Amino acid sequence: MIRPTRRADTDADFTRRRLAQLAVLGLAAGASPTALPGTASAAVPSSATAPPAGRPHYDRARRLAADDPVLRALVTALTPGSVLPPLPAPAPVKLFDNLVLLSAGWVSAMAVLTDDGIVLIDALTSPADAEGVVVPGLRAVGADPAAIRHVVVTHGHADHFGGAQTLADRYGARVHMSPADWDLLARTRPADAPVRDLDIADGAQLTLGGTTIELHHAPGHTPGTVSPVIPVRAGGRYHSAMLWGGLNPPSTVAELRTLLASVHSFRAVMRRTNVEVELSNHPNDHGLERAEQLRHQPPGAANPFLLGGPRTQRYMAVMDAMVRGRIADAEAAEEAGRRREPGHVEPGP
């Protein structure tokens, strides 16, 4: 298990070491005016080796991404065969005045700070992460972990719910998950699963201390994946942030079509709520690089997570194209499988 950085290290030491690792791993997804010094410029994987059925969609996604490092990272993450390498865990950092990134490296949680307590979005991989990452991470930024009132689990995989029951037991936090993914846990009975608590209805609003978070069903990655829309504050200004709840695509055509429908419905939610900020619970969006940039940039510099409305919409357009490519590949694979079945006869002219 990846552990938080030793406190004896300075932020500068950690940043130089971590960015060197990211460069070696090829995660600095393209040079741009906002790229950090010392990061490598990794090209988006070519579509030349991708299955031919999906290639036109992948090529379109690459054109949409252009030289944007956030969008290029998304293309890389959704390219068939891509695997996230292990990453060191960054120190906790406030992405906005009321939003804290708490990360184990390859998976992250977000803490929304309100006047009446904390809403934690995801709970990392295990009770050990709750004890060793979430609790000290909140204290490091001046927040009291005893103020955790709610844990919203974006989907029913262990790297997102693993620490939830520990936090519920210790602080009395309520645990929220979609009904479909509570049912998923009931069927699969994974270790460290939280006790079923509160169901998330599609479009539900969770309000704490004057902050209202919208919770939208976005099935595909799991049957009940949830994507939040979170109000974040920078100085005296509020912005609307989205967090796509589960990116790794399923394999069947039916599940992929469900995922594509979720992309479309959530993109409409983003337009309605004027989303300007993109967040992720995995490092598939140049997010850890942007967090380090934010940590060390001078006061008054532009927040690298504040993409603006057009750019967040283009993020979803890239996702749309990549999922369409996955659907085309899956359809082609299913058709090839049918042709290999005994007794299959090709139709005549």
Side-chain angles (χ1 to χ4, degrees), residues 49-71:
T49 58
R55 198 173 298 161
H57 300 286
Y58 302 141
D59 288 342
R60 178 174 181 272
R62 286 167 175 78
R63 290 193 298 271
L64 284 168
D67 61 354
D68 187 312
V70 177
L71 276 59

Side-chain angles (χ1 to χ4, degrees), residues 29-346:
S32 79
T34 60
L36 286 173
T39 57
S41 176
V44 173
S46 169
S47 62
T49 58
R55 198 173 298 161
H57 300 286
Y58 302 141
D59 288 342
R60 178 174 181 272
R62 286 167 175 78
R63 290 193 298 271
L64 284 168
D67 61 354
D68 187 312
V70 177
L71 276 59
R72 286 164 64 91
L74 178 63
V75 170
T76 299
L78 288 172
T79 296
S82 291
V83 177
L84 281 176
L87 293 172
V93 60
K94 280 190 172 183
L95 303 185
F96 291 87
D97 296 345
N98 65 328
L99 186 74
V100 181
L101 172 71
L102 303 164
S103 183
W106 65 283
V107 64
S108 300
M110 302 283 175
V112 184
L113 312 180
T114 82
D115 294 336
D116 197 29
I118 297 169
V119 178
L120 187 68
I121 311 294
D122 285 338
L124 303 182
T125 70
S126 63
D129 274 354
E131 299 275 4
V133 179
V134 174
V135 170
L138 287 171
R139 288 176 177 150
V141 298
D144 183 0
I148 298 173
R149 301 285 181 261
H150 301 277
V151 179
V152 172
V153 180
T154 57
H155 63 273
H157 286 163
D159 52 333
H160 300 274
F161 66 67
Q165 192 61 48
T166 297
L167 299 170
D169 291 342
R170 177 177 292 191
Y171 302 122
R174 305 300 301 271
V175 181
H176 305 245
M177 202 183 309
S178 70
D181 275 18
W182 281 123
D183 292 346
L184 175 65
L185 297 193
R187 291 194 304 273
T188 57
R189 299 185 180 183
D192 301 322
V195 175
R196 187 163 189 160
D197 190 1
L198 299 176
D199 287 354
I200 298 173
D202 188 19
Q205 295 188 341
L206 175 59
T207 299
L208 183 68
T211 297
T212 297
I213 301 169
E214 292 188 11
L215 303 171
H216 296 273
H217 289 187
H221 181 65
T222 65
T225 298
V226 169
S227 293
V229 175
I230 308 163
V232 295
R233 187 178 68 249
R237 298 189 61 184
Y238 277 89
H239 305 277
S240 186
M242 59 77 87
L243 190 155
W244 184 252
L247 185 68
N248 194 34
S251 57
T252 71
V253 172
E255 291 171 320
L256 284 163
R257 290 196 178 281
T258 296
L259 177 60
L260 185 61
S262 294
V263 171
H264 293 169
S265 62
F266 192 64
R267 193 176 181 187
V269 168
M270 289 169 57
R271 290 193 191 98
R272 174 180 60 79
T273 56
N274 191 30
V275 164
E276 299 178 285
V277 174
E278 178 275 329
L279 306 167
S280 180
N281 47 23
H282 283 290
N284 46 35
D285 65 341
H286 205 61
L288 295 187
E289 293 89 341
R290 287 185 285 161
E292 292 305 315
Q293 176 182 337
L294 180 63
R295 191 194 306 277
H296 296 285
Q297 69 185 19
N303 188 311
F305 288 88
L306 183 57
L307 305 186
R311 197 168 162 205
T312 57
Q313 283 293 314
R314 192 152 56 99
Y315 183 93
M316 298 304 290
V318 168
M319 193 184 302
D320 178 293
M322 293 301 292
V323 174
R324 288 179 187 276
R326 292 293 193 111
I327 291 171
D329 290 342
E331 288 176 335
E334 287 189 3
E335 177 60 25
R338 284 192 291 270
R339 290 178 178 177
R340 289 193 295 268
E341 290 175 357
H344 174 79
V345 178
E346 290 290 339

